[in-house]
Amino acid sequence: MQWTKLKKGQVLFSATDYLVWWFCVLRSMEKKPLCAWSKTVEECLEEYDVSLEKGLSFQEVEKRRQRYGWNELQKEDGKPLWKLVLEQFDDRLVHILLGAALVSFILAYLDKNEIGEASMTAYVEPLVILLILMLNAIVGVWQETNAEKALEALKEMQPEQAKVLRDGFSIPNFPARQLVPGDIVELGVGDKVPADMRIASLKTSTLRMEQSSLTGESHPVIKSTKEVLIDDCELQAKKCMVFAGTTVVNGCCTCIVVSIGMSTEVGKIQVQIQEAALEDDDTPLKKKLDEFGESLTKAIGFVCVLVWIISYKNFLSWDVVDGWPKNITFSFGKCTYYIKVAVALAVAAIPEGLPAVITTCLALGTRKMAKMNAIVRKLPSVETLGCTTVICSDKTGTLTTNQMSVTQFVTLGEIVSSVQEFHVDGTTYNPTDGSILDWPAEMSANLETLAEIAATCNDAGISCEGHQFRATGMPTEAALKVFVEKMGMSDLKASNTGNTGNLIVENGIVKLVYCDQLIEKSKRLALLEFDRIRKSMGVIVRDISGLNRLLVKGAMENVLERSAFQQLADGSIVEMDDASKELLLTKLHQMSSKALRCLGLAYKQDLGEFNDYDGENHPAHMKLLDPANYSEIENNLIFVGLLGLRDSPREEVHEAIKDCREAGIQVMVITGDNKFTAEAICRDIGIFYETENLSGKSYTGKEFMELPLNKRREVLAKPGGRVFSRAEPKHKQDIVRMLKEAGHVVAMTGDGVNDAPALKLADIGIAMGIAGTEVAKEASDMVLADDNFSTIVAAVSEGRSIYNNMKAFIRYMISSNMGEVASIFITAALGMPDGLIPVQLLWVNLVTDGPPATALGFNPSDIDIMRKPPRKSNDSLINAWVFFRYMVIGLYVGLATVGIFALWYTHDSFLGIDFSADGHTLVTFSQLTSWGECPSWEGFEVSPFSAGGRIFSFDSNPCDYFSSGKAKATTLSLSVLVAIELFNSLNALSENNSLLTMPPWINPWLLLAMSVSFGLHALILYVPFLANIFGIVPLSFNEWCLVIVVSFPVILIDEVLKLIGRRMSTVHQKYKTV
């Protein structure tokens, strides 16, 4: 390496240093994306080398397409079907089932001793297990393929055509896919924006955009051409930009395309959805079942090996000569037999029916939730709701109605410096929803003028679909029309004249009778459009007397400033003095502090040169073509009144927030709306108290993300409500991610495109069914049919109830399986003939246990279910005490099934119940446990006996009495197992409460399910074909009595254990209190 000595004062550079320096220079010269919103129109035109008069040339377009590509959202390649199928088998419980099926299939194939019918019976077990796994895989693949439609829904937001200027020619229906940065596009009312664009010029005085689905703002946004002098600002602040997928509500403009395809804000959201999909976590229940599968794998492996080892003497023997084993004999057939016993034990230990029962219970839960207007798209979400610790809710449309309404208005009183104040009920666009409180017996002249201005200076209407009322036009103006209609109805009600309750709807449009009467009195001659400078709108009208007047509505401060007079209650007009102005400003401040949007209403009688204005041919018409003249026309106004509007909270939300607080669930509001409005709504609905200090509890999205990471975590970790305003999609996603990292189970609500990434990332994403975009719905786990926050709280309550019921049937199935394991283990340990074969255990696990387990999902919920804190996601399904209880129950099940098997061979009666009528031969218990040595017994004979119309004879080989002759003993053993598990389902009605306090009839579905299960068992007993497959025979009345006597004690045992558990819980509670 050569070094170069430089002049004094310079540093020494190596060749490597020089290369690094040159690389940094080149990197600094790379072109950064243009922040078009912070540049003037001229700078943008220069940057993209385009003119507003000609647009881009076709040659230049091709060059840019090579660089920027097409204006479309990329389509991610989906997972191939084979990969989706394989993923469904990536589950510990499934692995266990596959292993059991494989081993049993191999053993059935290698078994040379059984042929024909018996051989087919051996294949039933692996085939049924494989069938279950295939069905689960099909359902899983179906859910997976339906879950990823959010990206397709995003593409539907992109318009197919646009009006573009190319080479000086205007092309009206140009394919939007072919747009490139620098294209000049013209937008008009109703157009959907094809790309992210910088507004270059306005063709009307006002341009309003509906962008709530992207930014969460509750009102259409006024746009302008003026640049924003901040490079790093939120979407809502970019007033000179229009974004792909949003819609023009009012006005026309010309724009410069600055971002296309995946570079647009919608494209960025698609990337965020894809990233969120990669972060999908397992549901709390899935995690618990996986943990259970892990433990089950170890336990099954240990017990199977143990059973096989303790049975070694039956297939391996040797003589000890001089301390060394000699004459070793090994029976492959018997070794294989005991491997089959171990496999049978595995089948007994595995709750094969558990996946099916869980799916059924979740499906039943979705039906219940659907009745409550909560439509569940993904089954596991039902259970996830039950352990929700934080609900992150949007404000507009979820906590509020997403319908503007007048809630308060003020007019002048009978004398100067006095006012009349009225409050208005109702929060929807339905004119019959609510009324005006304290309405006078007769409408004053001042109130009539107020109604006339609100109805006439207005371009909106109300539509109705079914029971859903919507605004047509500006929401604020629609609210004014509804308000005027309520004024008319209140006046009719006060005077006891006319019909005040019935609405007329024609072709989906609500006929506003009182508004129409007021509008018909005046003919509109001219419109003075709203603009951002004077912040008002006016209309020139001619009344029936031929007099022209100007009616004005707008921002209260601006209208009041331009008002020289005021109209009193009796209609008289007096000058506006300082005292009256101060009083009105005080009222304005009071109403604004409640987050009301305040409008001032005024009119003007002396219009000067417009007194005889009659249309476009009038000499003064030219003055109306320039919006700069509007402020001069709208001066010396007569002030009439002040209206306060807002998107009101839903009536039931306050109670739902209270329920959340009692249930230990934190509520955080994340909205795109402004900070002041968000805080006011949160105080109104009870997330914050009226006088609560919101320092550290209320942030804009940008403010929160600028905090250090530790501080952000600290803010989210504190108890109580939080509100995040002006939140962008990335902010919402980051907040949800941080909450999940802190161990919370997060439910996220949303309706807009901007909510989709966070909905996808949350443990449970909840979309709005009415106001929600298709993007939000497809990214969600649940959809609210009524867009109501209180529905979420009701769904959480149902989710908790479902989880409790799932715990009940999981405990029931596991305890039953423990009994089956104990039965096989005791049989093997004692060396007795196996009383239960794998196909019988499979039948019990899938069919007999299934209906009661499913019926436990109908257990009624606890009364105080929403007064308990949410369970932790790492809480175990089965604690140590419950595990011990079911070990005791399982041990009794094992002893009972093995005991009745031995009882039939060794006794002819039990507790006075005689079961010797079939004529079977009795043996000693010692003979029964050493039945493998039967061929060496001298003089051993067995008499024939009858069972189910069949005669069992053993003249050729008396030792068959312990194999083919065990049919009756096996039937008794199987019947005891079924009866005990049915009785045990009653124990599972409650984890700790006695059957005396929670009797069986509290869940009639369980009694029905028990009857069905018993009927299914009777079916395989008394249908010869089925009895032959399962290797069982019919039972007599006395034998059934014996089954009941042996089975019933399981209830008494668990009642004693529950009593001990309750006592332990009381002692523990007293200890905690002390």
Side-chain angles (χ1 to χ4, degrees), residues 97 101 104-105 121-135 352 838-839 842-843 845-847 1030:
L97 287 169
S104 59
F105 187 87
T121 302
Y123 282 109
V124 168
E125 176 197 332
L127 290 175
V128 169
I129 294 175
L130 289 173
L131 179 62
I132 292 169
L133 296 178
M134 287 173 64
L135 288 173
E352 292 92 345
V839 72
L842 196 65
W843 170 264
N845 287 349
L846 288 178
V847 182
F1030 287 94

Side-chain angles (χ1 to χ4, degrees), residues 381-396:
S381 306
V382 178
E383 180 273 334
T384 307
L385 272 169
C387 55
T388 298
T389 58
V390 177
I391 299 176
C392 295
S393 177
D394 188 24
K395 177 186 73 69
T396 307

Side-chain angles (χ1 to χ4, degrees), residues 260-302:
I260 62 170
M262 296 300 291
S263 298
T264 63
E265 294 300 329
V266 172
K268 293 173 186 175
I269 288 174
Q270 171 163 327
V271 173
Q272 291 168 8
I273 291 175
Q274 291 167 346
E275 290 172 351
L278 295 175
E279 296 182 42
D280 268 357
D281 291 331
D282 290 335
T283 65
L285 179 65
K286 175 71 164 58
K287 291 174 183 175
K288 287 184 177 63
L289 290 177
D290 282 347
E291 290 168 9
F292 170 67
E294 293 279 353
S295 304
L296 193 62
T297 305
K298 296 171 185 175
I300 289 173
F302 174 76

Side-chain angles (χ1 to χ4, degrees), residues 510-682:
V510 178
K511 191 167 179 62
L512 303 172
V513 179
Y514 188 59
C515 287
D516 291 345
Q517 289 175 2
L518 293 171
I519 293 170
E520 286 171 5
K521 290 180 181 179
S522 304
K523 178 185 177 184
R524 184 190 285 198
L525 301 174
L527 169 67
L528 281 67
E529 288 183 347
F530 180 94
D531 64 48
R532 298 186 66 201
I533 298 172
R534 75 186 205 286
K535 295 182 179 178
S536 62
M537 165 197 175
V539 290
I540 298 174
V541 298
R542 175 170 294 177
D543 60 26
I544 51 178
S545 64
L547 178 68
N548 282 5
R549 289 183 302 158
L550 173 67
L551 310 181
V552 178
K553 74 169 191 299
M556 174 62 183
E557 300 96 322
N558 297 59
V559 172
L560 188 60
E561 187 181 339
R562 299 200 299 272
S563 296
F565 305 94
Q566 56 184 321
Q567 185 187 53
L568 301 182
D570 60 1
S572 59
I573 299 170
V574 296
E575 284 191 16
M576 177 70 72
D577 58 5
D578 291 340
S580 296
K581 188 172 287 189
E582 189 63 33
L583 178 61
L584 289 169
L585 287 172
T586 301
K587 287 295 177 185
L588 170 65
H589 177 73
Q590 290 173 357
M591 292 167 70
S592 297
S593 66
K594 301 175 187 175
L596 297 183
R597 184 181 181 190
C598 297
L599 294 180
L601 275 66
Y603 71 102
K604 184 177 180 180
Q605 289 178 323
D606 184 8
L607 304 186
E609 60 187 311
F610 291 97
N611 274 333
D612 58 349
Y613 178 82
D614 56 2
E616 295 180 4
N617 296 325
H618 191 274
H621 181 71
M622 293 300 295
K623 205 169 184 178
L624 294 177
L625 298 180
D626 184 1
N629 297 321
Y630 291 172
S631 295
E632 181 188 340
I633 298 170
E634 290 179 357
N635 66 355
N636 292 323
L637 299 175
I638 302 168
F639 185 82
V640 176
L642 162 65
L643 301 179
L645 305 91
R646 71 167 173 174
D647 178 11
S648 299
R650 294 178 180 272
E651 293 176 0
E652 57 278 2
V653 164
H654 193 280
E655 193 64 32
I657 296 292
K658 184 181 174 183
D659 289 341
C660 284
R661 188 176 284 114
E662 288 183 352
I665 300 172
Q666 246 183 310
V667 178
M668 298 186 181
V669 177
I670 309 177
T671 178
D673 220 336
N674 70 70
K675 191 173 185 178
F676 184 74
T677 302
E679 289 177 354
I681 291 293
C682 287

Side-chain angles (χ1 to χ4, degrees), residues 299-312 342 345 825 828-829:
I300 289 173
F302 174 76
V303 176
C304 287
V305 171
L306 184 62
V307 167
W308 189 68
I309 289 173
I310 64 175
S311 305
Y312 78 93
L345 191 145
F825 186 83

Side-chain angles (χ1 to χ4, degrees), residues 92-102 129 132-133 350-352 355:
R92 182 63 62 190
L93 200 57
V94 171
H95 293 166
I96 299 171
L97 287 169
L98 276 173
L102 181 63
I129 294 175
I132 292 169
L133 296 178
I350 301 167
E352 292 92 345

Side-chain angles (χ1 to χ4, degrees), residues 767-778:
M768 304 298 109
I770 298 171
T773 60
E774 285 305 309
V775 183
K777 291 176 188 175
E778 293 298 341

Side-chain angles (χ1 to χ4, degrees), residues 454-474:
T456 309
C457 193
N458 196 318
D459 293 317
I462 305 294
S463 64
C464 180
E465 297 176 16
H467 298 289
Q468 196 68 38
F469 290 82
R470 300 179 187 275
T472 56
M474 294 292 294

